[in-house]
Amino acid sequence: MSAIHLLRKLSRKPPSRLHRNLLTSTFSMVDLPPDLARTTLIRPFSNHRLIPFLPNWVSGKTKREFSTSVVETNTSDKNFDRVVGLSPNPLVIERIHRDEDTIGESFSGGEIGEIEKSEETPLVREESEAEKEAWRILEDAVVRYCGSPVGTVAANDPGDKLPLNYDQVFIRDFVPSALAFLLKGEGEIVRNFLLHTLQLQSWEKTVDCYSPGQGLMPASFKVRTVALDENTTEEVLDPDFGESAIGRVAPVDSGLWWIILLRAYGKLTGDFSLQERIDVQTGIKLIMNLCLADGFDMFPTLLVTDGSCMIDRRMGIHGHPLEIQSLFYSALRCSREMLSVNDSSNNLVRAINNRLSALSFHIREYYWVDIKKINEIYRYKTEEYSTDATNKFNIYPEQIPPWLMDWIPEQGGYLLGNLQPAHMDFRFFTLGNFWSVVSSLSTPKQNEAILNLIEAKWDDIIGHMPLKICYPALEYDDWRIITGSDPKNTPWSYHNSGSWPTLLWQFTLACMKMGRPELAEKALALAEKRLMADRWPEYYDTRSGKFIGKQSRLYQTWTVAGFLTSKLLLASPEMASKLFWEEDYELLDICVCGLSKSGRKKCSRVAAKTQILVR
């Protein structure tokens, strides 16, 4: 096989687990031979059908694309070698000879052009009718401010006479739209969105004479036209920080999604100048300072009220919901990667590192449930007063719901929906589990088990329309007490175990990270059969997701965008690999608890570390 064909074959393959492990090495362009370093080109990304000349794991632009660490990973660490099975020596790429039987000699930029001309142009994937209509709907949903695109409305149903706040641009709703545009090669709208929402961060925010902390990002904004005088008007951005929301709840996830999208913009466009701006760096610091502020809590998880994320109505998720923790962990990793390290940021970076270490251990150790863990909880002793207690949160075995005993598969598991003293929420929350896989908040072994659970319980979580926002639904007295008899969150509807097609893109990203894209393809094919005919609903009702939601908005933008982003991710595995995180082994060696120095007891991280590392 010729060197040309070998390179072409490698560039078309999705990144394997070995390739992804290579990303954590100290590889950079300086490791390459001079000739190859000079000719390893990075082409500007123009559309989602681009096929790079070299594999993605070779053609990274800078070291920042391979690691989220501020400090370089110590490649001689024994734990690292044991986990990934790699030599501690830096990655070295051999030159490629022109000889068909030998890999060696370098080639020049001119030769690259000749090689490209000699090869047949690859066939372009034809878009389906559903994709074409989806793009039309997404483009029609674009909102402009002073002539420039700044986001997309939540829904654009021409038959809806009372849009409420669905005609606004929501930060969380815009994320799949932003990724669809970025994967298509259109970055302007995302850059404008990031900068304009950053300006809104500094606005005064008051509810009943009280102002929340600095750094809070708005839930949404709307472009309004105001009259300056009889002949002059001006467009202004009108943000909602929760003062108009149902329940008046501040959107905790908005700032976290903003940071995650900022990183994605840099990764997919190669434009890192945006995140290096002083105002953007200040915005990141304000969000992180707000999240890392000292309080009364004993846990590294973020304490929030009900309704502060995608589930924005009362659903019993107050406390430490998994969705917020997984987004928080991602935002911490993004911030550590993007923050400029200097005298003014040293303390913040140190706090981020400490929180990352504590948070990852807490979630992996205490949120994880599988059949073995459930049996352990079933036999818990209670009222243990000791630093060596097994039942640290005083969980009563009677809390284990009857449905869970028969539902949990032998080879699967998942992360709890919530954990507080004397309370475990055993519901399966889809977004939190998927984003834990994407961000490597859960261990590699746990990631596999989560996808195994999805496959084993396909009818429950996917059904006729992917994907359940949570499982199972709150019914009878639980529904009346926990939701307050919410008429919109009736059992198997809306946030109470309704089916939300927008979750497809997060499922797709998790599956691609774990090398199981066939699961995402199967779910996407199921959705594609119905979404266009059903006019792109917001959500579906019933246990199996068979019916369009009773209050579902049609032509819901993030339903459209989630479908398109899933399609583009599957078509561009090299781009998808830029959006997820690999295990950060440096975090596993950080211990900030100080217990080992106190003499009272040994840190539990040491005892559990082998379980976390070994797959």
Side-chain angles (χ1 to χ4, degrees), residues 71 299 304 381 469 562 575 577:
V71 184
F299 313 124
V304 300
K381 295 179 180 179
I469 191 170
M575 303 304 287
S577 66

Side-chain angles (χ1 to χ4, degrees), residues 48 125 131 134-135 138 175-177 179-181 183 434 466-467 500-512 517 519-525 527-528 531 536 558-573 575-576 579:
H48 68 277
R125 183 180 64 84
E131 288 175 82
W135 278 116
L138 186 60
V175 172
S177 297
L179 293 178
F181 284 123
L183 291 167
F434 289 166
L467 290 123
W500 292 70
T502 186
L503 295 171
L504 271 169
W505 75 269
Q506 286 132 332
F507 180 50
T508 299
L509 200 54
C511 290
M512 295 186 74
L519 290 178
E521 290 168 353
K522 182 180 176 182
L524 189 59
E528 190 168 7
L531 286 177
W536 308 93
W558 71 350
T559 295
V560 171
F563 168 77
L564 287 173
T565 300
S566 295
K567 283 280 188 179
L568 295 173
L569 289 171
L570 287 168
S572 307
M575 303 304 287
L579 297 175

Side-chain angles (χ1 to χ4, degrees), residues 395-460:
I395 303 299
Y396 299 107
E398 289 75 14
Q399 287 187 27
I400 301 175
W403 64 266
L404 184 60
M405 299 289 210
D406 296 324
W407 190 76
I408 192 77
E410 291 282 347
Q411 302 302 320
Y414 65 99
L415 294 169
L416 290 167
N418 210 330
L419 176 64
Q420 300 183 75
H423 173 66
M424 277 183 170
D425 187 344
F426 287 95
R427 286 176 291 175
F428 174 84
F429 285 85
T430 307
L431 194 157
N433 274 277
F434 289 166
W435 209 251
S436 295
V437 174
V438 170
S439 65
S440 287
L441 175 56
S442 44
T443 70
K445 186 176 180 180
Q446 289 169 351
N447 293 342
E448 293 284 359
I450 290 170
L451 293 188
N452 288 341
L453 177 115
I454 298 292
E455 190 172 25
K457 298 300 174 181
W458 188 268
D459 291 341
D460 292 331

Side-chain angles (χ1 to χ4, degrees), residues 136-142 153-160 166-167 553-557:
R136 287 195 296 270
I137 295 170
L138 186 60
E139 287 161 3
D140 288 343
V142 170
V153 293
N156 197 21
D157 184 357
D160 189 358
Y166 282 81
D167 60 350
R553 289 300 198 280
L554 302 179
Y555 299 102
Q556 183 81 10
T557 305

Side-chain angles (χ1 to χ4, degrees), residues 291-468:
C291 293
L292 295 171
D294 292 332
F296 290 102
D297 208 349
M298 292 289 292
F299 313 124
T301 42
L302 208 56
L303 180 64
V304 300
T305 62
D306 224 336
S308 57
C309 53
M310 179 181 175
I311 298 178
D312 57 5
R313 300 170 75 91
R314 183 175 162 189
M315 271 291 294
I317 65 167
H318 57 280
H320 308 90
L322 178 64
E323 177 178 334
I324 289 293
Q325 312 317 321
S326 61
L327 295 176
F328 180 35
Y329 183 79
S330 297
L332 287 168
R333 291 193 68 171
C334 291
S335 299
R336 186 174 67 155
E337 181 179 337
M338 295 186 294
L339 278 173
S340 299
V341 182
N342 49 47
D343 291 341
S344 66
S345 64
N346 278 335
N347 289 338
L348 179 58
V349 171
R350 188 179 302 111
I352 288 172
N353 280 328
N354 293 345
R355 193 61 164 264
L356 277 168
S357 176
L359 181 61
S360 64
F361 175 76
H362 184 85
I363 296 294
R364 292 172 173 193
E365 184 76 359
Y366 303 124
Y367 274 62
W368 181 253
V369 286
D370 53 17
I371 196 165
K372 180 181 177 182
K373 181 67 174 182
I374 292 170
N375 197 57
E376 180 183 326
I377 297 171
Y378 184 72
R379 293 170 52 82
Y380 266 170
K381 295 179 180 179
T382 59
E383 317 302 333
E384 293 182 286
Y385 184 79
S386 167
T387 56
D388 297 317
T390 301
N391 186 2
K392 291 183 174 63
F393 298 91
N394 199 34
I395 303 299
Y396 299 107
E398 289 75 14
Q399 287 187 27
I400 301 175
W403 64 266
L404 184 60
M405 299 289 210
D406 296 324
W407 190 76
I408 192 77
E410 291 282 347
Q411 302 302 320
Y414 65 99
L415 294 169
L416 290 167
N418 210 330
L419 176 64
Q420 300 183 75
H423 173 66
M424 277 183 170
D425 187 344
F426 287 95
R427 286 176 291 175
F428 174 84
F429 285 85
T430 307
L431 194 157
N433 274 277
F434 289 166
W435 209 251
S436 295
V437 174
V438 170
S439 65
S440 287
L441 175 56
S442 44
T443 70
K445 186 176 180 180
Q446 289 169 351
N447 293 342
E448 293 284 359
I450 290 170
L451 293 188
N452 288 341
L453 177 115
I454 298 292
E455 190 172 25
K457 298 300 174 181
W458 188 268
D459 291 341
D460 292 331
I461 298 171
I462 306 294
H464 287 88
M465 175 57 66
L467 290 123
K468 287 293 180 193

Side-chain angles (χ1 to χ4, degrees), residues 115-156:
I115 290 172
E116 290 179 334
K117 291 177 183 178
S118 66
E119 290 291 319
E120 294 183 4
T121 303
L123 294 175
V124 176
R125 183 180 64 84
E126 185 177 352
E127 290 182 339
S128 65
E129 288 302 315
E131 288 175 82
K132 292 176 183 177
E133 180 176 284
W135 278 116
R136 287 195 296 270
I137 295 170
L138 186 60
E139 287 161 3
D140 288 343
V142 170
V143 173
R144 295 185 177 273
Y145 172 61
C146 298
S148 300
V150 293
T152 52
V153 293
N156 197 21

